[in-house]
Amino acid sequence: MTNDQLTMEQISPEFEITDSMKMVREVARNFAEKEIRPVVMKYDESQEFPFEIMKQLGEMGFLGVIFPEIYGGAGFGYLEYVVVIEEIAKVDPSIGLSIAAHNSLCSNHIYTFGSEDQKRKYLAELACGRKIGAWALTEPTSGSDAGAMLTTVTRDGDSYLLNGSKNFITHGSVGDITVVMANMDRSKGKKGISAFIVENDTPGFIVSKKENKLGMRCCDTSALAFDNCRVPKENLLGEEGTGFAQALTVLDGGRISIAALSLGIAQGALDASLKYAKERKQFGKPIGEFQGIQWKLADMATQIEAARLMTYRAAFLKNQGKDVTLESSMAKYFASEIAVQAANEGVQIHGGYGFIKDFPVEKFYRDVKLVTIGEGTSEIQKLVIARQLLNM
C-alpha cells in the first residue's frame, strides 16, 4: 500500500488523515524529490552537513513543525511532524534524522520546560531554522544508563560551571544551541541531574571529535567536552534536579520521531524494491513475477503498514496531551526493527545491485541500523514497555 492510498482511508477508528497532513505530505515529498534526491550521495560521500537544505527546511517551517507560531513555529502537531520526517527519510534518512533531532530534542526540551523568556530568546531562533539545535545526554561511559552521567555542574556566583564530556551528540559540531544534562549532586542519583541551555560559542564548550559513521553520514554526530564552561543562571531549564525527569519526557516525543524516521526508510526501501522488481528481468520475465520476490514484498508492505498505524496512533495521542510512554516505545521498537528487515530485504531483492551505491537501497541499508540504537535501543524499549505493562 502506498502513502497515496493511505491518505484516502482512515488510519485508526479514532482519527483520519487530515487536510493539513495531506498538504504537508505533498510539500515535503516535492521538496525531497527536487532538492534532496539530486545531492543525496554528494552529502553522504563528503559527510558535509547540508546547511543550505536545513535553511530551506527552516523557511518552510519544518524545523519548528510542532511549535506555535508565536515562537516561530509552523503551528502543527505530531501527525504533521511524522509525515514530514517520513517523506524526507524516504529520500535521505540523514536529513530526516536532523529534522527529528532538531525538533524533538533540543527545541522540544526548551518548549516543554523552558521559561517564557527562554522560549522567546532561543526557541524562536531554533523553530525558524536560524539556529541549529543539539541535545547532550549520552556520555562515553553512560549510554542507556543515563543516570550514571559524570558531567558535573557547580554553582559559581550568578552562573554555573560545566565540566565533563558528552558522546554521540547529533549536531554537536554544527549546532548553535545545545541542551546539556549535567550532575549537580551525585549523592542524589538521577535527582541530582539538571538541564541547561548552552550557546555553543561559550568559552569552555569544546567540540572534541566528529565521528566517521557507517550511515547517516551528513547528519553531524560529534563528541563534546566542557572545561569550566560558564552558563548563566537564567539558562537553567526548570528547577535544579529535574533534568533527568525532563529528559524522559522529551524522549517520549523523540521516540515518535524515530518511529517516523524508521517508516520513511522502510517505505523508501519498499518503493525502490517495487520499482526494481518490475524492471529487472530474469528467465524472460520481471523478477516481480516470481513468488519468492512477491512474498518478500508482501511481508515488507504488511509490516510497514502495521508500523505506520502504531506510529500515527502514538502521534495522535501525543496531540491529545496523553501519556505516550508505552505507545511511543512500542512504535519506536516495532518500526525500527521492521525498517532494518525492509532494508535488508531491499538489498536482497536487488541482488548484486543492492551492494552498489548507484541504487538507493545500499544507503538505506547503512543508514537504518541507527534507528534501533538512537533514543533508546530496542532492548531498552522492551524494558520500558514491560515496565509500563507491569506498572513498575
Side-chain angles (χ1 to χ4, degrees), residues 10 26 36 52 105 117 132 138 144 159 165 175 178 234 272 319-320 357-358 381:
Q10 288 187 322
E26 188 66 22
I36 298 178
E52 184 56 36
L105 299 180
D117 287 344
I132 299 297
T138 301
S144 298
S159 58
S165 60
T178 302
E234 56 267 26
N319 280 347
Q320 308 306 306
K357 292 183 182 292
D358 293 342
Q381 300 313 313

Side-chain angles (χ1 to χ4, degrees), residues 78 81 100 104-105 108 249-259 332 375:
Y78 270 78
Y81 178 42
S104 291
L105 299 180
N108 195 41
T249 299
V250 170
L251 285 170
D252 280 345
R255 286 164 181 161
I256 294 174
S257 69
I258 299 301
K332 195 270 187 187
E375 298 197 33

Side-chain angles (χ1 to χ4, degrees), residues 285-298:
K285 58 183 178 181
I287 64 171
E289 293 187 21
F290 293 101
Q291 189 180 68
I293 299 298
Q294 292 175 351
W295 284 12
K296 290 180 183 295
L297 295 170

Side-chain angles (χ1 to χ4, degrees), residues 63-122:
L63 297 187
V65 185
I66 53 178
F67 308 116
E69 294 179 40
I70 190 174
Y71 301 123
F76 289 122
Y78 270 78
L79 285 164
E80 289 85 1
Y81 178 42
V82 163
V83 165
V84 168
I85 296 175
E86 185 180 356
E87 289 299 324
I88 299 297
K90 281 167 54 179
V91 174
D92 190 348
S94 296
I95 295 177
L97 177 59
S98 278
I99 295 172
H102 181 90
N103 274 279
S104 291
L105 299 180
C106 177
S107 299
N108 195 41
H109 199 144
I110 295 171
Y111 175 65
T112 304
F113 296 102
S115 66
E116 188 63 25
D117 287 344
Q118 289 171 337
K119 293 176 189 178
R120 291 188 180 277
K121 181 177 180 179
Y122 294 109

Side-chain angles (χ1 to χ4, degrees), residues 163-183:
N163 284 281
S165 60
K166 297 290 181 179
N167 207 23
F168 303 139
I169 306 306
T170 303
H171 300 162
S173 74
V174 300
D176 302 289
I177 298 165
T178 302
V179 173
V180 180
M181 271 60 69
N183 210 324

Side-chain angles (χ1 to χ4, degrees), residues 4-17:
D4 287 329
Q5 288 173 297
L6 236 161
T7 61
M8 304 302 293
E9 302 173 4
Q10 288 187 322
I11 58 174
S12 163
E14 298 169 304
F15 61 92
E16 296 181 18
I17 296 288

